[in-house]
């Protein structure tokens, strides 16, 4: 009997494995950007359509004529790769990270090779239009530097109204994608506003490790001209919200996302040690993935960095004197609240939580916790070219890159 | 070998029991608490169970003659009533009770710095009396050595019902702008077990300046215990559940109270809420007008829509939350569109579509009726499944799941995580997941 069990059990297991392996694809990179094969009424071709990001905006859009035979005029296709990578802090220190990269347009067969260990921080900015039908494919390329990890990943569109559970990206409540495979999320984008996105798998870990980015939606009202204030002679065609009167109109907008790294946590992850959740203590506070002075530098001007392309986003703001600026502030800090202030300019808060505020208000500081977003308008009327204004965390201990002072959560508005 | 096998069997049983106990029943009492006008409390010490398995020594308010509890009893009282709380004390130091938001008359006991106190280890009562002159959600907590005693667990919540409250058509503030179908309390707090240990072994005085919380709570429980039912036997001193659920399209009133000393950004997955009141004051202009929120229907005119509420220490907030599924772009039930009696546009058969475009029975958004899921989901081998996933992307539908997956969502509702977005607070003393987190389940009508 004992011998029988010893032989039979492995045999059954082996047969089961072969059967399973033989009948199912275990992993596959598949981008779903569906197309009609002919006219309406014909079957949808979910994969294998023809599309190319011809204008280089990081997404495939039907209204940019980048999709042959799209399923709708407002179809948008995006492809994110999720995995690991290395990034430099502003003091040059190398940090291991988990993150996303924009794989849109890369042939399926090359995605694993190209994006393995290719994560960027912050995650690629996703800028959409109200009314878009978004097909966002997420491919899990695995953790090249942590082959002991088999973590799945998700995309959580933070703040999506009336989200369905299956596309909300919470692993406990739905599905997450395993290594080597792809999952396509669908969003019918109804509301404009400032949102954010991040991976929700083991959220405290994956977010501290860097799986987060900017996401915002421009309005259906964009393109319509409003004079604001009435009889001011100032006209706007871009708006934070569908305000109906131009009151959230802007000339130039900047996403500004707060997040921070705890080097002890990142080093523990890299060195396969127990992760210090309770002691999580951020030492690298950042705007859009960089600490000052990197925040104001172009990509090519990061001499301390071996991995400069891992943090490609500059947060230098360069409005022309007189411009009305919109700053889309969001926080994905995993540890603390922050207060953001500006020297010398006034802030008008026109929105929060991806909705227009009924009563906008003036302020000199914005306090924002993890998972909150605030839309701030700054009127640069009265400034002159060459002037410089600082945007910074008034939590002054967050103005550092670990031990290095005059760093952290700070950037500049340089008037042109 | 037999011993090990038995151990395994026991473990399986325990796991099964745990899983079953986590399964949310429908129709759980929304906010459990004590009703009336006169309450007798005793402050005493006990143990609470943290979800990492730790027992934490605590001080709590409890009904006189019963166990202390964390948090203290939730009091549900009527606007206009005079509410009296008599407090006796078995703790080794004086204690008391503050009810910010009301003019409290304190008597009895002994004089304290802020209010009358119930003396240490004594039957002498301190008596706190106030007129609940306005509706809303409020906190209460110790006014004696508060920095330590609040940390130790001497906190609780009070819900004041508006004048004329009718449980059949409930409102938070007495009018349709604040009407709701279900209500839930979220009393948020945190603890540093080191402080509790120091108190337990008799250290006096205990330093609280090194405060370093590693446990985070909703209604006195860490996730996943937040999702266990009210009054489960294994949490004798933590009676309150914190797992909300609601039907599609119904209005949920969330009552948040900041019970500790830290701010917590509380994120509602699934949809925005409309913040309708702070600290028991409606967000309205003096004219008191109402407006139509995109989802929630009528709300006070200064209500603010958001997806994350900053719950500050000592603050309270009320939000109306709803989930309609409008404009998903696909049929949330996976209907083919040929079903009889659903989203009928009339006149024959008679219309089933209401003025907002929803089917009167299924509550689905009829514009999306019959639209297919726009993507093909990967096969099971490529996916990791959550315990609250029904196996199907569709509401109220079960799909096939690998053995051992799913199981926590028997009505196949849509599950949304509600949690602190200071993500480190979703842990239990270094163990993820846990902490200040729960799951909100949106069910199909009648489920």
């Amino acid at each position: 009997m004992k011998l029988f069990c010893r032989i039979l059990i492995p045999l059954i297991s082996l047969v089961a494995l072969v059967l399973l392996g033989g009948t199912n694809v275990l992993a596959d990179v598949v981008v779903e950007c569906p197309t009609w094969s002919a006219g309406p009424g014909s079957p949808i071709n979910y994969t294998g359509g023809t599309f190319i990001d011809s204008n280089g905006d990081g997404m495939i859009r039907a209204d940019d004529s980048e999709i042959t035979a799209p399923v709708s005029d407002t179809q948008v296709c995006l492809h994110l790769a999720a995995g690991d990578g290395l990034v430099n802090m502003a003091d040059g220190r190398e940090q291991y990270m988990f993150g996303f990269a924009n794989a849109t347009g890369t042939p399926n067969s090359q995605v694993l090779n190209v994006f393995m260990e290719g994560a960027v921080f912050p995650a690629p900015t996703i800028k959409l239009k109200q009314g878009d039908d978004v097909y966002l494919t997420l491919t899990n390329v695995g953790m090249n530097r942590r082959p002991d990890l088999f973590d799945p990943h998700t995309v959580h569109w933070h703040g999506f109204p009336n989200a369905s559970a299956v596309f909300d990206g919470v692993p406990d409540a739905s599905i997450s994608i395993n290594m080597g495979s792809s999952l396509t999320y669908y969003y019918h984008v109804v509301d404009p506003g400032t949102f954010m996105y991040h991976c929700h798998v083991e959220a405290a870990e994956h977010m501290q490790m860097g799986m987060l980015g900017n996401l915002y939606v421009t309005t259906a009202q964009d393109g319509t001209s409003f004079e604001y204030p009435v009889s001011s002679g100032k006209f706007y065609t871009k708006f934070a919200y569908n305000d109906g009167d131009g009151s959230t109109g802007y000339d130039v907008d900047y996403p500004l996302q707060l997040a921070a790294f705890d080097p002890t946590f990142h080093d523990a992850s890299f060195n396969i040690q127990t992760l210090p959740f309770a002691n999580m203590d951020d030492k690298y506070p950042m705007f859009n993935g960089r600490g000052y002075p990197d925040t104001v530098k172009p990509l090519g001007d990061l001499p301390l960095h071996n991995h400069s392309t891992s943090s490609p986003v500059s947060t230098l703001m360069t409005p022309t004197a007189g411009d009305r600026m919109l700053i889309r502030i969001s926080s994905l800090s995993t540890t603390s609240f922050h207060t953001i202030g500006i020297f010398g300019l006034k802030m008008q808060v026109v929105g929060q939580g991806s909705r227009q505020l009924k009563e906008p208000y003036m302020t000199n500081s914005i306090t924002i916790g993890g998972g909150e977003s605030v839309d701030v308008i700054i009127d640069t009327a009265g400034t002159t070219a060459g002037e410089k204004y600082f945007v910074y965390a008034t939590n002054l201990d967050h103005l550092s890159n670990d031990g290095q002072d005059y760093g952290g959560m700070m950037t500049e508005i340089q008037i042109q | 070998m037999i011993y090990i096998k038995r151990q395994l069997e026991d473990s399986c049983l325990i796991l099964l029991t745990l899983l079953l106990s986590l399964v949310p029943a429908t129709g759980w009492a929304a906010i459990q608490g004590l009703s009336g006008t006169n309450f007798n409390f005793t402050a005493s010490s006990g143990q609470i169970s943290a979800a990492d398995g730790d027992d934490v020594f605590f001080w709590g308010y409890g009904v006189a003659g019963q166990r202390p509890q964390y948090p203290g009893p939730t009091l549900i009282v009527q606007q206009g009533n005079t509410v009296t709380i008599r407090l006796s004390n078995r703790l080794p130091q004086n204690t008391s009770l503050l009810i910010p938001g009301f003019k409290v008359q304190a008597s009895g006991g002994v004089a304290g710095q802020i209010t009358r106190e119930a003396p240490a280890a004594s039957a002498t009562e301190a008596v706190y009396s106030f007129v609940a002159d306005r509706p809303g959600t409020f906190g209460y907590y110790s006014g004696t050595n508060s920095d330590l005693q609040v940390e130790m667990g001497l906190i609780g919540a009070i819900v004041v019902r508006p004048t004329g409250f009718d449980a059949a058509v409930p409102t938070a503030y007495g009018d349709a702008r604040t009407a709701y179908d279900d209500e839930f309390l979220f009393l948020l707090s945190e603890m540093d077990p080191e402080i509790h240990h120091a108190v337990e072994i008799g250290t006096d005085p205990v330093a609280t300046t090194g405060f370093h919380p590693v446990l985070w709570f909703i209604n006195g429980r860490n996730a996943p215990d937040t999702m266990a039912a009210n009054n489960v036997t294994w949490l004798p001193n933590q009676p309150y559940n914190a797992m909300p659920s609601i039907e599609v399209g119904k209005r949920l009133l969330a009552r948040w109270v900041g019970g500790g000393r830290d701010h917590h950004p509380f994120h509602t997955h699934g949809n925005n809420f409309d913040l309708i009141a702070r600290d028991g004051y409606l967000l309205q202009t003096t004219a008191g007008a109402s407006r139509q929120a995109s989802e929630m229907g009528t709300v006070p005119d200064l209500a603010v829509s958001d997806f994350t509420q900053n719950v500050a220490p000592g603050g309270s907030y009320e939000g109306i939350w709803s989930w309609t599924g409008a404009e998903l772009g696909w049929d949330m039930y996976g209907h083919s569109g040929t079903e009889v009696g659903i989203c009928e546009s009339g006149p024959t058969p008679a219309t089933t579509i209401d003025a907002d475009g929803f089917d009167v029975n299924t509550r689905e958004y009829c514009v999306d009726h019959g639209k297919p899921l726009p993507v093909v989901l990967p096969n099971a081998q490529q996916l990791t499944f959550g315990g609250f996933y029904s196996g199907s992307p569709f509401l109220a539908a079960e799909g096939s799941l690998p053995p051992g997956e799913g199981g926590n969502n028997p009505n196949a509702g849509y599950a949304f995580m509600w949690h602190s977005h200071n993500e480190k607070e979703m842990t239990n003393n270094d163990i993820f997941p846990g902490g200040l987190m729960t799951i909100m389940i949106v069910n199909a009508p009648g489920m």
Side-chain angles (χ1 to χ4, degrees):
Chain A
M1 184 66 183
K2 247 182 194 171
L3 187 68
F4 178 70
C5 284
R6 265 188 209 159
I7 296 170
L8 192 65
I9 288 171
L11 194 68
I12 290 173
S13 310
L14 191 67
V15 169
L17 268 177
V18 169
L19 281 176
L20 283 172
T23 53
N24 289 289
V25 177
L26 291 174
D28 203 2
V29 176
V30 178
V31 174
E32 285 188 38
C33 187
T35 51
W36 297 110
S37 51
S42 70
I44 292 172
N45 179 16
Y46 285 96
T47 59
T50 312
F51 42 80
I52 183 160
D53 179 17
S54 49
N55 64 1
D57 64 355
M59 61 183 95
I60 310 282
R61 297 192 61 98
D63 57 12
D64 287 339
S65 304
E66 292 170 330
I67 306 173
T68 306
V71 289
S72 78
D73 297 340
T74 49
Q75 184 178 351
V76 180
C77 296
L78 277 159
H79 185 193
L80 293 177
D84 64 354
L86 293 161
V87 62
N88 294 103
M89 301 292 95
D91 62 357
R93 181 166 176 172
E94 186 177 276
Q95 293 276 267
Y96 182 55
M97 64 170 290
F98 301 166
F100 296 98
N102 192 343
T104 306
T106 304
N108 293 349
S109 61
Q110 294 175 29
V111 169
L112 293 181
N113 281 340
V114 173
F115 292 99
M116 196 172 283
E117 214 181 304
V120 294
F121 186 64
T125 297
I126 298 178
K127 177 184 175 182
L128 298 166
K129 296 178 192 171
Q130 184 181 354
D132 281 350
D133 290 301
V134 179
Y135 297 79
L136 191 162
T137 299
L138 174 69
T139 296
N140 182 344
V141 301
M143 308 292 203
N144 198 39
R145 295 283 184 128
R146 284 290 305 271
D148 59 311
L149 291 181
F150 296 83
D151 292 19
H153 292 298
T154 64
V155 169
H156 167 54
W157 175 324
H158 180 108
F160 192 85
N162 281 305
S164 65
V166 71
F167 297 136
D168 193 42
V170 174
D172 317 65
S174 61
I175 49 179
S176 42
I177 192 69
N178 295 340
M179 290 194 301
S181 292
S182 308
L183 166 63
T184 298
Y185 295 83
Y186 171 80
Y187 311 100
H188 181 222
V189 182
V190 179
D191 289 333
T194 301
F195 302 88
M196 59 205 94
Y197 78 102
H198 57 88
C199 177
H200 218 293
V201 174
E202 296 163 355
E205 176 189 356
H206 285 207
M207 289 175 63
Q208 166 64 225
M209 289 301 290
M211 304 195 78
L212 37 95
N214 287 292
L215 192 167
Y216 59 97
V217 179
T218 58
T219 68
Q221 187 180 298
D222 282 20
T224 311
S225 183
F226 277 94
E227 185 180 22
Y228 188 83
V230 174
S231 306
S232 63
K234 292 202 68 173
F235 291 84
Y236 300 96
T237 57
K238 293 184 287 186
F239 310 91
Y241 292 94
N242 293 308
D243 50 44
D245 60 5
S247 59
T248 67
Y250 63 88
D251 297 296
V252 56
D253 66 334
Y254 299 95
L256 194 162
Q257 189 164 86
L258 284 62
F261 277 10
D262 170 5
T264 308
F265 193 98
H266 286 251
D267 290 351
S269 176
F270 194 45
N271 296 313
I272 320 179
Q273 299 300 306
T274 308
L275 298 173
F277 288 109
N279 289 327
M280 195 184 283
D281 186 14
D282 291 327
K283 297 296 185 194
Y284 288 105
M286 289 177 272
F287 284 162
N288 294 331
R290 294 183 184 179
Y292 187 82
D294 286 0
T295 47
V296 300
K297 288 179 180 167
L299 184 57
D301 186 18
L302 299 168
L304 286 170
H305 302 346
N306 296 325
H307 311 286
S308 55
T309 53
S310 302
S311 53
V313 181
S314 168
T315 312
L316 177 63
M317 302 181 190
T318 54
T320 302
D323 274 356
R324 219 165 171 242
M325 304 165 58
L326 170 66
I327 309 184
R328 302 173 179 275
I329 305 175
S330 61
S331 174
L332 284 171
S333 166
T334 56
T335 61
S336 49
F337 282 79
H338 290 92
T339 301
I340 302 300
I342 298 185
F343 276 134
L345 292 172
K346 295 173 191 147
M347 296 194 273
Q348 184 189 31
V349 180
V350 299
Q352 73 177 56
S354 77
R355 303 290 169 96
Q356 184 183 0
L357 270 183
K358 182 178 164 56
E359 300 286 333
Y361 62 91
M362 302 301 299
T363 184
N364 200 34
S365 67
I366 301 290
T367 297
I368 186 168
E372 295 191 283
S373 75
V374 177
D375 298 286
V376 170
I377 287 202
I378 295 172
D379 194 338
T380 63
T383 62
T384 46
E387 287 179 349
K388 185 194 284 187
Y389 298 91
F390 288 96
V391 181
Y392 64 104
T394 58
N395 317 77
L396 302 179
D397 56 324
H398 286 249
L399 297 181
S400 62
N401 307 312
D402 197 9
Q404 183 185 76
D405 210 352
Y406 299 106
M409 284 178 175
M410 182 154 71
T411 190
E412 297 171 10
I413 300 171
Q414 296 177 2
I415 307 291
Q416 305 296 302
Chain B
M1 198 64 181
I2 289 169
Y3 172 73
I4 291 173
K5 196 176 165 216
R6 194 168 286 163
Q7 285 265 298
L8 278 173
E9 279 169 2
D10 285 354
S11 306
C12 284
L13 258 180
I14 290 166
L15 195 68
L16 191 68
T17 316
L18 275 173
L19 281 174
L20 284 176
S21 62
L22 286 174
V23 169
T26 48
W28 272 354
I31 295 181
Q32 179 175 278
L34 305 175
S35 299
T37 54
N38 289 287
F39 305 96
N40 294 314
F41 280 9
T42 300
S44 59
S45 64
Q47 302 281 339
I48 58 166
S49 174
D52 66 337
D54 197 10
D55 279 336
V56 181
F57 180 77
F58 87 114
W59 294 346
Y61 300 111
V63 173
Q66 297 179 25
R67 292 167 169 277
Q69 59 178 71
Y70 186 60
T74 300
L75 303 183
I76 302 173
V77 304
Q78 287 293 325
Q79 182 184 2
N81 282 358
T82 300
V83 178
T84 302
I85 304 169
R86 309 179 73 86
L87 175 66
S88 64
N89 183 10
R90 289 190 197 149
L91 299 173
Q93 53 181 251
N94 290 5
T95 191
S96 59
L97 204 144
L98 301 177
I99 307 142
F102 296 104
K103 188 172 182 186
V104 178
Q105 301 290 339
S107 59
V110 296
Q113 202 159 21
I114 297 175
T115 185
R116 304 291 297 180
E117 297 180 339
S122 164
T124 305
E125 290 176 333
V127 182
Y128 308 93
S129 197
F130 66 97
V131 178
D133 57 3
R134 62 199 165 96
T137 311
F138 305 89
Y140 67 82
Y141 48 87
S142 167
T144 308
N145 198 8
S146 303
D147 194 35
L148 178 68
Q149 293 197 359
V150 167
E151 163 69 29
M152 288 303 293
L154 290 163
I155 61 171
I158 299 177
V159 172
V160 182
R161 302 283 188 215
T163 302
F165 180 76
D166 178 355
V169 244
T171 69
Y173 287 85
D175 64 72
R177 299 170 300 165
T178 65
Y180 60 85
D181 297 293
D182 283 300
E183 60 173 345
F184 293 88
L185 177 68
F186 303 92
L187 173 58
L188 312 186
S189 61
E190 64 284 324
M191 278 186 179
D192 175 357
E194 296 291 327
I195 294 173
H196 295 249
H197 183 63
V199 172
E200 187 173 17
I201 62 174
T203 311
D204 187 29
V206 172
T208 55
T209 47
F211 175 66
H212 181 59
V214 298
L215 294 169
W216 290 274
F217 301 83
I218 310 176
N219 297 344
R221 294 181 182 177
N222 319 114
D225 293 343
T226 48
M227 292 169 260
N230 283 321
N231 305 315
V232 289
T233 52
W234 71 86
L235 298 168
N237 299 337
Q238 297 150 278
Y240 297 145
N241 155 269
M243 187 175 185
S245 69
I246 196 156
E247 276 186 14
V248 172
K250 302 275 187 179
R251 280 161 66 110
L252 179 144
L253 176 71
R255 299 175 180 271
W256 290 288
V257 180
R261 63 155 92 161
D262 281 346
H263 290 244
H264 303 288
F266 192 95
H267 174 45
T268 57
H269 277 250
N271 211 353
N272 277 36
F273 54 87
D274 266 284
L275 184 73
I276 61 161
R278 271 194 302 259
D279 295 338
Y281 293 108
L282 266 182
L283 294 174
Q284 63 175 1
T285 58
T286 46
S290 59
R291 69 178 172 88
Q292 287 293 118
S294 55
E295 306 273 317
M296 317 306 162
T298 307
V299 293
D301 59 350
L302 294 185
V304 179
S305 177
D306 211 329
F307 43 61
T308 304
Q309 179 60 43
N310 173 8
V311 178
S316 68
Y317 312 83
E318 282 139 354
I320 301 272
W321 187 90
S322 185
W323 191 93
T324 65
E327 306 200 66
L328 270 183
W330 47 282
D331 188 317
M332 65 184 180
Y333 292 108
H335 291 147
S336 66
T338 57
E339 293 81 0
V340 175
I342 299 175
C343 290
E344 299 285 4
S345 52
T348 312
T351 182
T352 64
I353 306 174
D354 71 13
D356 297 319
F358 296 95
D359 185 86
V360 294
N361 299 310
T362 65
R363 304 309 305 165
E364 71 194 271
Y365 189 60
C366 286
V367 170
D368 290 338
H369 180 58
K371 289 186 186 170
L373 188 75
V375 299
V376 179
L377 298 178
N379 64 47
Q381 285 85 350
Q382 295 173 289
L383 295 170
T384 298
F385 298 93
F388 289 90
Y389 187 56
S390 68
S392 166
F394 302 116
L395 189 64
E398 305 265 354
S400 64
L401 284 167
E405 303 290 352
N408 289 345
N409 188 357
N411 297 324
Y414 275 171
F416 297 106
M417 189 176 279
W418 284 23
H419 63 100
S420 169
H421 222 282
N422 272 348
E423 304 278 334
K424 72 173 285 191
E425 298 176 352
M426 289 210 300
T427 58
N428 300 321
N429 207 350
D430 261 346
I431 298 171
F432 180 95
L436 211 166
M437 185 263 277
T438 188
I439 298 279
M440 161 72 174
I441 299 218
V442 175
N443 282 310
M447 297 299 282

